[in-house]
Amino acid sequence: MSAERSLTIAGEDVERFAAASGDRNPLHLDPEFAAASAFGTPIAHGALVTVAMLGSLPIETQADVRSLQASFAGAVLPGAPATVSVEQRESNIWELRLRARGKTLARVATRTGSARAAKRDDSEALATPCRAMRVTPVEADLAELGVGYTLAGRYSSGAELSALAERLGAGALDPRLLEGLAWASYTVGMELPGLHSLLAGFTLALEEQPDGTERDDGPGAPRAPRPGEHRLSVRAYDERTGQLTIAATLGTQPNGDTVSAQIQCFALPPTDAPDPAALGLRRAANGDRDRGLALVAGGSRGFGASLALALLGLGHEVEVAYSSSPTYAAQLQRLAAGERSRLRLTRTDLGDPDEVAALTDKLARRGDPLSGLVLNAALPPLATSLTPHSAEEIPAYVAASLRLVTLPLASLLDLLDEHAWIAFCSSSALTSPPRDWPHYVATKAAIEGLAAWVAATRPSLRTVVVRPPKMRTAMTSTPSGRIGAASADAVAVWIAERLTDKELQPGLTTLEPGPTALQPQSIREGALA
Amino acid sequence: MSVDEQFERDFQTVFEDVLGWGVVVGDEDSPKTLEGWDSLAQIRLVHELESRFGVRLPDSALLEEQSVGSLKAIVLEHVC
């Protein structure tokens, strides 16, 4: 038997769950923090998604669930419609799947029946003190997260948790499991690994003492956590992907009944700030400063920020238009150090015609023609597949992304000097398309088409298609994203040197740095040249 | 139970742990045939296989699309 219903997680549900669970990780709550993540926008807590999915189980089954297994494959966005399917796999196993963007984003399996008998705790006695609940997420020290790292602390969810579950149709769920779901979310988002984390899945099980007896762990064994206490221990950590396996126990009854959990999550690498030395900013102090004004559309962080500083280092005056990250814009201004007077940053929504017109007016009033224009603004791609369900979402993404290029291009084209260069930021994804990014690949192809049109209609301009490889930026701050990724600074220096090269010809040029071009010594030579 | 049977059973358990209780996989299965086997699941599968069989698999196993049969071959190559 299989049934399907639609489900949308509301933004208020995310706020309520954050308050009730104590998982106040900014990835769920702070648009600026989320803008600098691989998702680009706040996402719903995986455990909240699980509660909402469990709301699709028949009431009598809900009340009977004693353990569950959840795994998350993609971000669920508040406000975005999804569907949940329910299927009874075996007499005591039910399976729920949440689908959106043509993909299964979450899967939950439940087992009904009786709780597991509590096992003797075999973890080592804990020397760590009992930690109070955190109100801001810790930034885990990755070097400390070895196997055997343990932590004991206090945890309790807020009273509003059951009201939220009721609202989502999961009011019949055992309150201990509900508490366990909130606790798993808190654990990953706030405590281990905390700020830069991603929940991949968990198994939760109720464990009870036979006949409600008092738990006896024997002499010398650690006491099982009591209500309001929890214990975490790292069972596996892999430094290539940041994957962490956590074994965890939450006390639920004074006699030693618990919820036990095996949690799978990832410690995500924080994104590197641009490095002024690698970008050759020092050479600007004694080099040629006569290259005129370059505008970088989309450049407060990531590759755009690196390219802005590299152009500054090569003698351009630089204006950066950015939309979402004032904190990063301030950081970029600081990094420019001695060259900061030649770098201006303007917050502009590049998808808003009025704001783009205001930016254009400001530049026109200054009177100097633009000698360079970088079209780098883009929307972060969320994993998407091409299915009849997602077929309309793909052109919507392409249109919204392309706007961030066509609006500044259309307004600024007439401010360009006759022999100026324009860099259209495409991607090596066009030559080797990633499986989950059909919308991103289609967007970059459209941008390259636009470049070909500009080259044909404005033949005196030096029109450049730039295809950076996979780089260590927010977009690749994912478990596998950093494997084989290049430094954004190295790519920026390589590209900026070619954009400012006097030999760059009018017409269309495609720049795609190969792996050897980005070897560390070529960065050093570039910086000293 | 023979060594081969144990190997098959361990492999099946790893897939159940990552792709879900009750999932049954054959050598021909791949991300194209098994729902939920996406890039994140692939990383979890590879790390689970590494810890269960005590091996370290190459980065390509983490990144490139594999079938169940080809994952088995990669694990066997590194066990021996």
Side-chain angles (χ1 to χ4, degrees):
Chain A
M1 137 184 166
S2 176
E4 200 166 275
R5 66 162 194 156
S6 56
L7 173 70
T8 303
I9 306 237
E12 302 88 74
D13 291 337
V14 173
E15 284 164 27
R16 286 188 191 110
F17 185 79
S21 66
D23 181 358
R24 303 202 58 82
N25 190 295
L27 181 59
H28 309 295
L29 301 168
D30 177 354
E32 192 187 352
F33 180 90
S37 74
F39 308 110
T41 181
I43 68 172
H45 304 78
L48 168 63
V49 172
T50 306
V51 174
M53 289 167 74
L54 291 169
S56 292
L57 281 179
I59 296 292
E60 62 281 7
T61 309
Q62 260 183 46
D64 247 9
V65 173
R66 291 294 171 268
S67 59
L68 59 90
Q69 183 196 42
S71 61
F72 309 106
V76 176
L77 303 190
T83 59
V84 177
S85 66
V86 186
E87 192 179 348
Q88 185 165 13
R89 298 283 291 243
E90 289 170 31
S91 63
N92 65 335
I93 297 182
W94 290 70
E95 189 181 72
L96 302 139
R97 287 177 186 273
L98 181 138
R99 292 186 183 84
R101 305 195 300 274
K103 282 177 61 78
T104 297
L105 300 181
R107 195 190 51 75
V108 176
T110 64
R111 264 189 226 271
T112 54
S114 48
R116 281 210 305 237
K119 281 190 301 250
R120 196 189 143 94
D121 194 321
D122 61 355
S123 65
E124 290 181 21
L126 294 168
T128 36
C130 207
R131 179 171 289 156
M133 263 185 90
R134 292 183 185 277
V135 287
T136 52
V138 68
E139 269 190 83
D141 178 354
L142 295 181
E144 261 189 31
L145 295 181
V147 174
Y149 177 84
T150 56
L151 188 152
R154 306 207 58 88
Y155 180 78
S156 55
S157 62
E160 56 278 47
L161 187 63
S162 56
L164 176 61
E166 191 78 47
R167 238 182 66 77
L168 295 168
L173 204 64
D174 189 302
R176 296 170 295 173
L177 267 184
L178 188 59
E179 169 103 351
L181 285 164
W183 160 67
S185 191
Y186 168 85
T187 294
V188 172
M190 301 294 280
E191 191 68 83
L192 190 66
L195 186 63
H196 298 287
S197 64
L198 192 61
L199 178 60
F202 47 73
T203 304
L204 287 181
L206 296 180
E207 294 194 343
E208 288 172 359
Q209 298 302 310
D211 310 321
T213 54
E214 188 75 17
R215 181 168 182 146
D216 177 15
D217 290 316
R223 184 174 69 86
R226 295 303 190 249
E229 298 174 1
H230 71 135
R231 183 180 298 162
L232 314 173
S233 104
V234 172
R235 290 296 158 92
Y237 175 63
D238 190 284
E239 75 289 347
R240 288 167 294 174
T241 58
Q243 181 175 291
L244 266 177
T245 304
I246 304 168
T249 317
L250 173 70
T252 58
Q253 294 293 323
N255 70 350
D257 286 0
T258 57
V259 178
S260 74
Q262 173 105 337
I263 301 172
Q264 299 288 346
C265 59
F266 291 93
L268 298 176
T271 305
D272 305 338
D275 174 2
L279 290 163
L281 264 195
R282 245 174 261 140
R283 108 189 110 183
N286 38 29
D288 175 9
R289 294 182 180 214
D290 264 351
R291 293 193 198 265
L293 178 64
L295 184 129
V296 180
S300 59
R301 56 185 172 79
F303 173 65
S306 294
L307 191 53
L309 291 188
L311 290 169
L312 198 62
L314 285 163
H316 273 289
E317 204 177 324
V318 177
E319 174 96 25
V320 169
Y322 68 95
S323 62
S324 61
S325 305
T327 311
Y328 288 89
Q331 173 186 283
L332 189 61
Q333 192 82 64
R334 277 197 303 279
L335 289 172
E339 297 298 310
R340 62 190 303 167
S341 63
R342 300 171 59 243
L343 171 70
R344 282 183 302 274
L345 292 117
T346 309
R347 191 167 186 172
T348 304
D349 179 353
L350 294 166
D352 178 334
D354 293 339
E355 293 201 18
V356 173
L359 173 71
T360 309
D361 281 352
K362 190 179 97 176
L363 293 175
R365 275 199 304 275
R366 214 175 287 155
D368 300 326
L370 277 179
S371 60
L373 171 61
V374 177
L375 297 162
N376 180 55
L379 295 175
L382 287 166
T384 299
S385 186
L386 179 60
T387 66
H389 280 296
S390 67
E392 288 184 46
E393 296 169 19
I394 289 174
Y397 172 90
V398 174
S401 298
L402 203 54
R403 239 178 121 75
L404 304 178
V405 174
T406 57
L407 286 184
L409 177 64
S411 287
L412 296 166
L413 207 46
D414 288 337
L415 294 188
L416 286 172
D417 173 89
E418 193 188 345
H419 303 292
W421 52 260
I422 309 184
F424 288 82
C425 292
S426 177
S427 165
S428 63
L430 204 53
T431 38
S432 45
R435 192 166 102 200
D436 285 338
W437 288 2
H439 48 337
Y440 184 77
V441 174
T443 302
K444 294 306 186 187
I447 288 171
E448 293 203 8
L450 208 53
W453 179 84
V454 169
T457 53
R458 303 280 180 123
S460 72
L461 290 176
R462 295 174 292 162
T463 304
V464 181
V465 164
V466 172
R467 288 184 185 159
K470 181 172 163 184
M471 297 179 285
R472 292 190 293 273
T473 61
M475 223 166 83
T476 54
S477 181
T478 62
S480 62
R482 296 301 169 88
I483 299 173
S487 144
D489 288 349
V491 177
V493 166
W494 189 90
I495 286 170
E497 283 171 349
R498 278 148 190 83
L499 291 174
T500 53
D501 188 339
K502 300 237 169 8
E503 302 297 311
L504 181 65
Q505 297 300 307
L508 190 63
T509 304
T510 298
L511 293 178
E512 186 166 2
T516 49
L518 303 172
Q519 292 301 311
Q521 80 237 53
S522 77
I523 304 171
R524 277 199 296 278
E525 283 164 16
L528 292 171
Chain B
M1 194 186 310
S2 74
V3 174
D4 284 354
E5 280 168 358
Q6 185 62 49
F7 179 79
E8 291 294 329
R9 184 168 295 194
D10 284 350
F11 228 85
Q12 177 68 34
T13 306
V14 167
F15 272 80
E16 267 198 277
D17 283 348
V18 176
L19 296 185
W21 292 334
V23 73
V24 178
V25 298
D27 282 1
E28 303 302 313
D29 278 318
S30 73
K32 288 190 182 69
T33 61
L34 283 179
E35 195 176 3
W37 184 349
D38 53 37
S39 55
L40 211 54
Q42 169 105 6
I43 290 170
R44 293 180 58 197
L45 281 170
V46 168
H47 287 327
E48 280 290 318
L49 291 170
E50 288 179 329
S51 77
R52 185 161 292 254
F53 295 104
V55 293
R56 189 176 170 101
L57 303 180
D59 284 356
S60 59
L62 290 163
L63 293 176
E64 288 162 16
E65 203 169 304
Q66 311 278 351
S67 67
V68 174
S70 66
L71 271 179
K72 279 183 185 166
I74 294 171
V75 170
L76 283 173
E77 189 184 315
H78 286 79
V79 169
C80 302

